[in-house]
Amino acid sequence: MNFNNVQDTASLYAFNNLAKECNFSPTDSGYDFDDCSWFNFYGNPNDMSGDSVPRNGPGSGSASRIPRCAQRPRQMAASPRSPQMAASPRPRMAASPRPNYAFQPLFHERATHEDDTVLTQELWKLARKSGTLNLSNKGLARVPQRLYDINEADADSKAATLEQLCIKEEDAWWNQVPLTNLDLSSNALTKLSPKIENLQSLTVLILHDNALAALPPEIGKLEKLMRLNVSRNKLSDLPRELYSLPELRHLNISYNQFNELNPDISDLHMLEFLDAGHNNIQSLPGGIGFLVRLTALLLPHNHIKDLPPDLVNMRSLQRVDLMQNDLTCLPEDMGLLRKLQFLYIQHNDILELSDFEGNEALTELHASNNYIENIPIRMCENLPHLKVLDLRDNKITELPDELCLLRNLNRLDVSNNSIDTLPVSLSSLAHLISLQVEGNPIKTVRRDIIQCGTTRILKTLQERSLAKTKEEGGTTDGAAGARLSGGQSGAAASDTTANYPDRYKLRHTRTLAVNLEELTDVPDEVFQLAQAEGVHVVDFARNNLRTLPKGLQHMQQLVTELVLAHNLIAQVPQFISQFTRISLLNLSNNLLTDLPKEFGVLNTLRELNIANNRFAFIPSGLYELQGLEILIASDNHIKELNVSGLKCMPRLSTLDLRNNDIDFIPPILGTLTNITHLELVGNPFRQPRHQILMKGTDSIMSYLRDRVPR
């Protein structure tokens, strides 16, 4: 028996079976096996020899077949085939050398040529046309060398004739602009080339999330640079030349390894924003007060123990973040920071608060996790615009009655202290919507009442306040309201000036606020007095007004904020359209069903709150408000959405329609890209589902866009 023939027959049989699986026939005319990818990968199917021992004849022993799932490829030299050769055994040939498969590993050190290829011709042309180049998150280990010459005319542009440039005018040199915005963030850069000085036109340079240990001194030659972000690197110092940049306004060096700030930082006279948080800074240089244009000073998560006295010379400061440091006190002259609005000093070692005299603009004070033992009474008198007061996790034992002077307070957090009594004066804070007192040994209010939340606590305190007033035989809030509304009571009848707000407070706070007085009307004289003192904030929340007082017309050229929440107003008069400077209007918690058509002329209105009324639709006049950014219309009876009307409000970014009767959400709503915050929970529609609503605005808008008819 010819074993070679048997083996070859078996080989051909196996090959034919595999050929059927590959959808080709080995007997097809004109088919070249040597060109078959399968053939090149696995080798000659008639070759049944092992990988290392060639078979030269029947005496070579048994051969092992190559399985279909072979790990190592085989490749034989190509040879012509003929019908005669198919019937006879192929002569064995010496094995050809195997190809070297150089697979590129996923993680490897980037070579220079790889980094250079990232800056493609398309990105190059786009940067030359727009002045902006984004190379973020490209895995760069080095900046492409070609980038430093991007402001120079390339070879093609130099060699082209005027006629050629006119044909492709978009590539012509006169349509190219210098590079002004360069983003190299989220790469693996360890250094910058001194050639960075070639990019003289840069105004924005973003380098965050790299591995930079130093910056070249040549960066100081970018005289037009206005914004520099080198956060999340390994920097411990900045080149001295950088502090001479004449136009630098925004500097972010957070999440680095700085132990101190160079005193030369005071030479950045145009600096407006400085973020040096999450470093190891021990102290601030004395000359930092020369940064008189600075509006935001962010130094969280450092080890600062003392603040330099000249810090208060930065009179433009609006936001100061000193969270998570080692401070024990604040500068005595904090009141010199007249424009300060946000102060973050939580997680320090502060023992007492200052009286903040002069910080009238302060709206948020965060001082949790310190060692504060009391709240200064003077502080309550000096912060008329304070909205957030966070004092949790301190050592406070008592809340002063003067907290009621913080009339604009929205949130008060005194949880985890040592307070045993809540003053009844807290019930007079008309705008207080969040009162956190958990973790205190309070004895005057039952625990079950505290667990019911802010509304229940304030109601209990208000009931006690009224009962206490009656027991003492004093004047009730209702009598005070009667006097203000024009009535006379006892000895007060002869002294009418005692019936009106204090002139000094009006002039000092620019605010007319009368809350929780059960007012049904306000005499014109009150508004005339407020007009004379330049008042621009009017607040009559939580009274019994049934319409807007007519005297408000005296202030139509002054009022910027008008708060009439929690009243009994059923109709808004037409003269509301005469308020040419109003930016905020709060009409929530009333009895309104519609708004006048003239409402649409309020071009300065930015925020409108009509929540918790009786609207069955969004008033048509609102769709003409070109400047409206926030519309809160929750807790009404709105049945449908007028998307075409919402399209006419180009600046609308927040739309709150919770708890209404909307049974269908038009998919076209998803095309309104200007809406960044959308609330729809509590409506009877079935789509989008509740799970999608809980994921937020992006998910809702994406869901709706996917269902817009094509």
Side-chain angles (χ1 to χ4, degrees):
M1 178 181 292
N2 189 344
F3 288 97
N4 288 337
N5 290 339
V6 172
Q7 288 180 347
D8 289 340
T9 302
S11 301
L12 185 60
Y13 177 76
F15 175 71
N16 288 336
N17 287 339
L18 184 59
K20 292 178 181 179
E21 296 179 5
C22 296
N23 295 323
F24 69 86
S25 173
T27 60
D28 290 345
S29 59
Y31 191 88
D32 187 2
F33 287 99
D34 295 329
D35 293 334
C36 177
S37 60
W38 181 91
F39 182 85
N40 291 332
F41 188 81
Y42 287 103
N44 191 335
N46 289 331
D47 183 5
M48 293 302 173
S49 63
D51 288 341
S52 58
V53 182
R55 191 185 64 176
N56 296 323
S60 60
S62 62
S64 61
R65 294 180 56 190
I66 301 176
R68 296 180 184 177
C69 58
Q71 296 297 318
R72 292 188 297 174
R74 295 180 59 88
Q75 185 173 8
M76 299 295 294
S79 60
R81 291 181 58 83
S82 64
Q84 292 79 11
M85 293 178 65
S88 61
R90 280 186 76 166
R92 308 268 49 92
M93 299 178 63
S96 61
R98 299 178 184 276
N100 182 19
Y101 293 93
F103 295 103
Q104 184 78 335
L106 180 60
F107 299 101
H108 65 284
E109 184 177 356
R110 291 285 290 258
T112 302
H113 72 275
E114 293 181 79
D115 290 329
D116 291 341
T117 57
V118 171
L119 184 54
T120 62
Q121 190 63 21
E122 290 75 13
L123 286 175
W124 178 273
K125 289 183 177 181
L126 182 61
R128 297 289 294 268
K129 184 181 297 184
S130 64
T132 300
L133 178 59
N134 187 348
L135 294 179
S136 64
N137 201 21
K138 301 292 186 183
L140 294 174
R142 305 167 189 82
V143 178
Q145 290 298 314
R146 187 186 180 194
L147 171 61
Y148 298 117
D149 300 324
I150 195 169
N151 289 335
E152 303 294 333
D154 52 24
D156 295 338
S157 179
K158 292 179 180 179
T161 63
L162 180 61
E163 182 179 356
Q164 292 172 334
L165 291 175
C166 291
I167 294 175
K168 297 184 67 176
E169 189 174 354
E170 66 275 6
D171 296 333
W173 57 265
W174 56 79
N175 283 327
Q176 296 174 356
V177 297
L179 188 66
T180 59
N181 192 323
L182 176 59
D183 188 349
L184 295 170
S185 62
S186 303
N187 284 293
L189 302 177
T190 57
K191 62 179 181 179
L192 288 181
S193 170
K195 292 183 179 180
I196 192 73
E197 65 179 341
N198 295 346
L199 306 178
Q200 295 280 335
S201 56
L202 275 184
T203 60
V204 177
L205 178 58
I206 303 177
L207 295 166
H208 66 76
D209 290 277
N210 278 285
L212 297 171
L215 296 177
E218 287 76 9
I219 200 171
K221 296 183 179 181
L222 305 181
E223 296 185 352
K224 296 182 180 180
L225 195 64
M226 301 175 62
R227 185 184 183 95
L228 176 61
N229 188 340
V230 291
S231 62
R232 298 183 185 273
N233 279 279
K234 299 179 180 180
L235 300 171
S236 59
D237 197 6
L238 296 176
R240 191 170 185 177
E241 291 79 3
L242 185 143
Y243 299 113
S244 63
L245 292 175
E247 297 294 332
L248 192 63
R249 288 170 166 78
H250 187 290
L251 178 60
N252 189 339
I253 58 173
S254 61
Y255 292 93
N256 277 284
Q257 300 174 6
F258 288 88
N259 293 320
E260 61 179 0
L261 291 180
N262 194 313
D264 292 336
I265 197 172
S266 60
D267 294 335
L268 297 174
H269 301 299
M270 300 299 293
L271 198 63
E272 298 175 357
F273 177 94
L274 175 60
D275 187 351
H278 295 267
N279 282 284
N280 297 313
I281 299 173
Q282 308 290 328
S283 61
L284 299 179
I288 197 170
F290 288 106
L291 301 178
V292 294
R293 289 183 172 86
L294 204 66
T295 60
L297 177 61
L298 310 182
L299 295 164
H301 294 269
N302 281 288
H303 299 286
I304 302 172
K305 297 181 179 180
D306 298 301
L307 296 175
D310 64 341
L311 178 73
V312 297
N313 293 337
M314 295 187 283
R315 305 298 173 84
S316 299
L317 273 180
Q318 299 177 13
R319 183 186 186 96
V320 175
D321 190 346
L322 295 165
M323 177 179 63
Q324 202 83 34
N325 276 279
D326 300 327
L327 295 172
T328 57
C329 62
L330 295 174
E332 296 181 359
D333 299 328
M334 281 291 292
L336 296 177
L337 302 178
R338 305 286 184 183
K339 297 182 179 180
L340 186 63
Q341 298 180 18
F342 306 95
L343 179 59
Y344 301 88
I345 52 175
Q346 59 265 47
H347 291 276
N348 278 280
D349 300 326
I350 296 175
L351 301 175
E352 61 180 3
L353 294 172
S354 62
D355 57 15
F356 294 101
E357 184 177 2
N359 301 121
E360 298 175 5
L362 193 65
T363 58
E364 294 189 16
L365 173 58
H366 299 263
S368 62
N369 293 90
N370 281 283
Y371 298 97
I372 301 170
E373 296 182 354
N374 59 75
I375 301 175
I377 295 176
R378 292 290 305 278
M379 186 192 81
C380 301
E381 298 174 350
N382 295 328
L383 300 178
H385 300 293
L386 192 67
K387 294 183 178 180
V388 177
L389 178 58
D390 185 358
L391 294 170
R392 67 183 186 277
D393 292 285
N394 276 284
K395 306 294 182 181
I396 300 173
T397 58
E398 184 181 4
L399 296 180
D401 290 333
E402 286 74 12
L403 277 175
C404 64
L405 299 176
L406 303 175
R407 286 190 170 273
N408 287 299
L409 199 63
N410 291 334
R411 174 188 167 195
L412 174 61
D413 191 344
V414 290
S415 55
N416 300 328
N417 279 278
S418 302
I419 302 168
D420 58 3
T421 303
L422 293 181
V424 295
S425 60
L426 289 177
S427 62
S428 64
L429 295 174
H431 303 286
L432 189 63
I433 58 177
S434 176
L435 175 60
Q436 304 297 326
V437 295
E438 297 82 4
N440 285 283
I442 298 175
K443 301 177 181 178
T444 56
V445 180
R446 296 199 315 268
R447 184 173 181 81
D448 60 314
I449 295 177
I450 293 177
Q451 291 178 343
C452 288
T454 303
T455 304
R456 185 70 178 90
I457 296 173
L458 294 179
K459 183 178 180 181
T460 300
L461 295 178
Q462 186 176 8
E463 291 173 351
R464 292 182 181 180
S465 176
L466 293 174
K468 182 179 179 181
T469 302
K470 291 180 180 179
E471 289 177 1
E472 295 176 353
T475 303
T476 64
D477 291 341
R483 292 202 306 272
L484 184 59
S485 62
Q488 295 180 344
S489 176
S494 60
D495 186 8
T496 57
T497 59
N499 301 332
Y500 305 121
D502 182 78
R503 276 181 174 270
Y504 174 78
K505 288 185 177 180
L506 292 179
R507 188 183 309 115
H508 193 62
T509 65
R510 304 293 182 184
T511 301
L512 171 61
V514 184
N515 311 121
L516 292 165
E517 298 288 353
E518 299 183 7
L519 298 177
T520 58
D521 195 12
V522 182
D524 291 357
E525 291 81 358
V526 173
F527 296 107
Q528 291 173 356
L529 179 62
Q531 179 191 18
E533 300 300 337
V535 168
H536 55 81
V537 177
V538 177
D539 182 357
F540 283 98
R542 296 185 183 273
N543 285 288
N544 293 326
L545 299 176
R546 297 184 179 276
T547 186
L548 275 65
K550 295 181 180 180
L552 268 175
Q553 298 181 71
H554 295 289
M555 305 182 64
Q556 61 188 18
Q557 303 296 329
L558 293 175
V559 173
T560 59
E561 298 183 16
L562 178 58
V563 181
L564 295 168
H566 293 274
N567 278 282
L568 303 174
I569 300 174
Q571 185 178 9
V572 176
Q574 295 180 353
F575 69 73
I576 189 67
S577 62
Q578 301 172 7
F579 286 73
T580 56
R581 297 184 56 193
I582 190 169
S583 61
L584 182 148
L585 177 58
N586 188 343
L587 294 169
S588 61
N589 293 275
N590 280 285
L591 306 175
L592 295 170
T593 59
D594 198 1
L595 293 174
K597 295 181 179 180
E598 294 80 3
F599 210 85
V601 303
L602 299 177
N603 295 325
T604 59
L605 192 62
R606 296 290 180 266
E607 180 177 349
L608 175 62
N609 190 341
I610 55 173
N612 211 334
N613 278 277
R614 300 180 179 181
F615 291 97
F617 54 88
I618 297 178
S620 58
L622 300 189
Y623 300 129
E624 301 177 15
L625 297 174
Q626 298 295 306
L628 193 66
E629 300 174 3
I630 301 174
L631 175 58
I632 302 176
S634 58
D635 297 280
N636 280 284
H637 302 287
I638 299 174
K639 298 181 179 179
E640 62 180 359
L641 287 180
N642 183 354
V643 180
S644 59
L646 294 173
K647 282 184 177 181
C648 299
M649 307 167 71
R651 300 187 62 178
L652 185 65
S653 60
T654 299
L655 179 60
D656 189 347
L657 294 170
R658 292 172 297 171
N659 302 325
N660 277 282
D661 299 329
I662 303 172
D663 57 5
F664 175 70
I665 303 297
I668 197 173
L669 179 65
T671 63
L672 302 185
T673 56
N674 53 299
I675 296 180
T676 58
H677 187 79
L678 178 63
E679 295 286 351
L680 294 172
V681 175
N683 284 280
F685 54 78
R686 295 185 177 181
Q687 300 292 339
R689 300 188 306 275
H690 183 75
Q691 293 85 342
I692 296 176
L693 298 180
M694 292 297 99
K695 292 181 180 180
T697 302
D698 291 339
S699 296
I700 299 173
M701 302 298 274
S702 177
Y703 175 90
L704 295 174
R705 282 194 298 270
D706 291 342
R707 281 152 182 78
V708 175
R710 303 292 182 181

